[in-house]
């Protein structure tokens, strides 16, 4: 029998993206944390567990030795929702297979990769199950498989699902692994599980394959947050659930008291929290139990940090597609849910919640506390040309009625074994690719851009934007949070820093900003030109005539109100 205290274990995170679970940097999913905790619970010392991301292996060939030399190598990954990513690039099948070939010890693969592998991580693709040459594939939970494999002396395991009692132990015990993440501590957001599984059975979704919702107790989630907080984490998202409003209830009906205990407890153990966001909220819950939902939404908006997004899985506004794919919410119901979230949480820090939703010149200069986001999925059964019209009409109505959406996510289906869409595959998505591209462009131009101007008008301040990369003479960065805005800033600034930014212009899904507050006595020509109303000629005049004592003095000179963007620092004074 192998002594677990002598085992060297390497975990490689290939990243995950599921309907109710996200783990692409700057996010870290629950899987590596739970797996590390399970290994410790099975007797493996924490100091003998090494964690790497797939991007680390790409950037440093020397770290492949940790894969080769481990007694047990565990790969965690899998994409069941297609997306585009800035902070990291999910592992491709060929890379995963190379890891299996490299590992001299026992190799285990798990996570949503168990549902299937495609030729690439993209929408409009078909998948099939593949062991990618690993010794073992966890067809249940990878964390349970890792525990059982160590318990058996690396001989094998049953493909079982873990239970909440095990997660009560493993979640907190595995918190240490985040310290090995390359983004730790400043640019890392921990995905938190409140439940998994779903009571509904939409044709395309893998979440029901986990069964009906199974809720963790608030004390368990709070203890995990506390453990992660003690390890340096300051950013959290309650994203691992199908519906945050249903937390602590029967799987469908809201339970505001459970939300109050959960959010209040998190705030208590993490007093210096930087981000507290969520992800999924089911619009059918909001319309079926409107008063309980309103109370729950108010609880969330009271405790969260600004810029939060509740992803609504409308998927299609076409009644034919809704019927053929068991979608649980109609366009009319989803519109009502959008309205309710706007009314209860569409206010901004510094404002009275009774005034929501707020936008325009008189709105406070921060993002709203919580807004809905709409998911639209194409390539589903019954999709036709009219489907695209129904979706455009729905989005147009939301805008015309004076409501706000934080973002519209448009993607094409991935077909997985175990779902109804497996019978159809990617045929419909492929047939409609040209139509899909045209429609997507129209939504970006006609809805996304004006909506973004409403959500984040010029002068909106985005605190703590992390500077990530340079492109075309600009620096790009994002805040930590759910679906953060991509911000382009004039000039090439030092990467890895965090700065406050004021919005000056809008793209389809991104904004242009300048450092906030911008010192007009030291600002560059590009920064000044970016401020609305200045332009190149006036910006040039600003530079020629500075220094200025106050922004008001400058405003009188150029006849432009700069109070939302600028300050005037006396030359030679400290910042």
């Amino acid at each position: 029998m192998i002594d677990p205290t002598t085992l060297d274990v390497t975990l490689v995170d290939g990243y995950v993206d599921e309907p109710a679970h996200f783990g692409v940097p700057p996010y870290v999913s629950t899987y590596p944390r739970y797996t590390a905790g399970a290994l410790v619970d099975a007797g493996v010392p924490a100091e003998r567990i090494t964690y790497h991301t797939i991007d680390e292996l790409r950037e440093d060939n020397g770290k492949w030795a940790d894969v080769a030399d481990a007694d047990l190598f565990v790969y965690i990954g899998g994409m069941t929702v297609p997306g585009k990513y800035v902070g990291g690039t999910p592992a491709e099948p060929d890379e995963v297979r190379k890891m299996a070939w490299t590992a001299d010890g026992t190799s285990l693969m798990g996570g949503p990769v168990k549902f299937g592998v495609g030729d690439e991580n993209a929408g409009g693709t078909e998948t099939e199950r593949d062991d990618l040459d690993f010794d073992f594939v966890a067809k249940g939970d990878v964390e349970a498989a890792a525990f059982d494999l160590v318990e058996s002396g690396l001989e094998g395991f049953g493909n079982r699902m873990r239970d909440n009692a095990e997660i009560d132990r493993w979640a907190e015990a595995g918190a240490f692994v985040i310290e090995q993440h390359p983004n730790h501590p400043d640019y890392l957001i921990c995905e938190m599980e409140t439940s998994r599984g779903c009571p509904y059975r939409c044709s395309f979704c893998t979440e029901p394959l986990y069964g009906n919702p199974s809720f963790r107790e608030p004390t368990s989630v709070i203890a995990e947050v506390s453990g992660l907080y003690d390890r340096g984490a300051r950013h959290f998202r309650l994203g691992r659930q199908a519906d945050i409003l249903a937390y602590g209830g029967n799987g469908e009906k809201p339970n505001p008291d459970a939300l109050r205990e959960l959010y209040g407890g998190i705030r208590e153990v993490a007093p210096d929290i930087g981000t507290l966001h969520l992800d999924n909220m089911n619009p059918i819950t909001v319309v079926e139990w409107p008063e309980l939902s309103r109370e729950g939404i108010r609880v969330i908006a009271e405790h969260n940090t600004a810029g939060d997004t509740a992803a609504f899985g409308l998927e299609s506004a076409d009644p034919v597609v809704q019927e053929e794919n068991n979608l649980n919410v109609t366009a009319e119901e989803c519109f009502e849910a959008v309205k309710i979230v706007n009314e209860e949480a569409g206010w901004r820090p510094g404002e009275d919640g009774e005034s929501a939703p707020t936008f325009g010149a008189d709105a406070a200069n921060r993002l709203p506390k919580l807004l809905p986001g709409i998911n639209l999925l194409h390539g589903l059964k019954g999709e036709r040309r009219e489907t695209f019209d129904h979706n455009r009409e729905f989005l147009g109505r939301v805008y015309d009625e004076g409501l706000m959406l934080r973002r519209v996510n448009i993607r094409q289906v991935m077909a997985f074994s175990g779902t109804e869409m497996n019978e159809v595959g990617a045929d419909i998505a492929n047939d409609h690719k040209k139509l899909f591209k045209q429609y997507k462009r129209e939504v970006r131009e006609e809805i996304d851009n004006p909506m973004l101007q409403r959500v984040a008008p010029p002068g909106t301040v985005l605190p703590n934007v992390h500077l990530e990369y340079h492109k075309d003479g600009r620096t790009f960065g994002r805040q930590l949070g759910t679906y953060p805005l991509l911000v382009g800033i004039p000039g090439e600034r030092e990467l890895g820093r965090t700065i406050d930014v004021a919005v000056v212009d809008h793209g389809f899904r991104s904004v242009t900003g300048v450092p906030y507050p911008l010192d007009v006595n030291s600002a560059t020509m590009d920064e000044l030109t970016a401020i609305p109303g200045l332009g190149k000629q006036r910006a040039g005049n600003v530079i020629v005539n500075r220094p200025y004592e106050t922004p008001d003095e400058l405003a009188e000179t150029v006849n432009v109100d700069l109070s939302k963007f600028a300050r005037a620092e006396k030359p030679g004074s400290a910042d």
Side-chain angles (χ1 to χ4, degrees), residues 514-550:
V514 294
Y516 176 82
L518 186 66
D519 179 10
V520 296
N521 288 326
S522 61
T524 67
M525 181 71 172
D526 286 341
E527 290 169 342
L528 291 168
T529 302
I531 295 178
L534 273 186
K536 286 188 176 181
Q537 183 172 340
R538 285 176 173 170
N541 293 337
V542 168
I543 291 176
V544 170
N545 294 316
R546 60 191 184 190
Y548 300 90
E549 290 291 330
T550 66

Side-chain angles (χ1 to χ4, degrees), residues 184-252:
H184 180 271
D186 296 327
Y187 196 35
L188 187 66
I189 182 165
C190 296
E191 185 85 321
M192 305 300 300
E193 175 184 328
T194 67
S195 70
R196 65 174 184 174
C198 184
Y200 303 104
R201 298 294 183 265
C202 300
S203 69
F204 61 90
C205 189
T206 56
E207 191 61 23
L209 301 179
Y210 289 105
N212 288 324
S214 174
F215 296 99
R216 294 175 66 191
E217 290 294 327
T219 52
S220 177
V221 181
I222 293 164
E224 183 184 3
V225 169
S226 180
L228 292 164
Y229 188 86
D230 290 344
R231 297 284 184 169
R234 293 294 180 270
H235 306 279
F236 303 88
R237 184 175 82 155
L238 305 177
R240 204 323 174 211
Q241 72 274 315
D243 182 7
I244 187 65
L245 282 181
Y247 175 71
N250 63 2
E252 299 180 46

Side-chain angles (χ1 to χ4, degrees), residues 219-441:
T219 52
S220 177
V221 181
I222 293 164
E224 183 184 3
V225 169
S226 180
L228 292 164
Y229 188 86
D230 290 344
R231 297 284 184 169
R234 293 294 180 270
H235 306 279
F236 303 88
R237 184 175 82 155
L238 305 177
R240 204 323 174 211
Q241 72 274 315
D243 182 7
I244 187 65
L245 282 181
Y247 175 71
N250 63 2
E252 299 180 46
K253 185 178 179 180
N255 184 344
D257 289 338
L259 287 171
R260 193 172 286 109
E261 182 180 355
L262 175 67
Y263 272 87
I266 289 172
R267 281 292 194 170
E268 186 174 338
V269 300
D272 192 29
I273 203 167
T275 305
L276 181 55
H277 279 187
L278 62 90
D279 190 10
N280 299 299
M281 183 183 290
N282 199 328
I284 196 63
T285 304
V286 180
V287 294
E288 290 283 352
W289 293 277
E291 294 309 314
L292 286 174
S293 294
R294 285 180 182 274
E295 183 181 352
I297 292 166
R298 288 195 294 270
V299 169
I300 293 168
E302 176 187 353
H303 292 91
N304 72 349
T305 54
D308 202 355
T309 306
F312 278 1
L314 171 60
E315 313 307 350
S316 179
D318 183 348
V320 171
V321 177
Q322 292 166 3
E323 176 70 23
E324 292 199 26
N325 294 274
N326 303 317
L327 305 184
N328 63 48
V329 65
T330 67
E332 185 63 37
E333 289 168 332
C334 190
F335 177 84
E336 182 62 23
V338 167
K339 186 170 181 286
I340 287 173
V341 174
N342 269 260
E343 290 172 349
E344 298 299 339
W347 52 276
R348 302 163 193 262
E351 295 178 338
D352 182 354
E354 296 294 323
S355 60
T358 60
F359 53 86
D362 296 331
N365 67 340
R366 291 294 190 273
L367 291 174
K369 288 302 294 287
L370 175 67
L371 292 178
I374 296 295
N375 294 340
L376 294 171
L377 184 60
H378 287 271
L380 294 173
K381 292 184 291 184
E383 183 174 283
R384 54 204 174 125
R385 182 173 292 273
E386 290 90 337
T387 302
F388 298 88
D389 297 331
H390 281 290
N391 288 350
R392 277 192 295 261
E393 289 167 6
F394 171 82
L395 296 172
R397 181 187 177 194
V398 171
Y399 183 82
D400 292 343
E401 292 286 340
L403 302 173
M404 291 184 286
L405 299 174
R406 170 56 196 85
R407 65 101 180 95
V408 180
N409 189 10
I410 302 173
R411 55 196 172 88
Q412 288 184 298
V413 71
M414 297 178 77
F416 288 91
S417 178
T419 69
E420 290 182 25
M421 275 304 298
N422 190 54
E423 302 170 7
V424 179
D427 291 347
I428 297 174
N430 290 330
D431 289 344
H432 292 171
K433 271 196 181 294
K434 184 176 180 181
L435 187 60
F436 175 79
K437 288 181 180 179
Q438 177 186 346
Y439 144 88
K440 191 172 182 179
R441 183 175 63 251

Side-chain angles (χ1 to χ4, degrees), residues 126-140:
E126 298 179 8
T127 65
E128 61 181 3
R129 290 192 167 108
D130 192 331
D131 65 10
L132 298 176
D133 296 334
F134 276 71
D135 296 328
F136 296 102
V137 177
K139 296 180 176 64

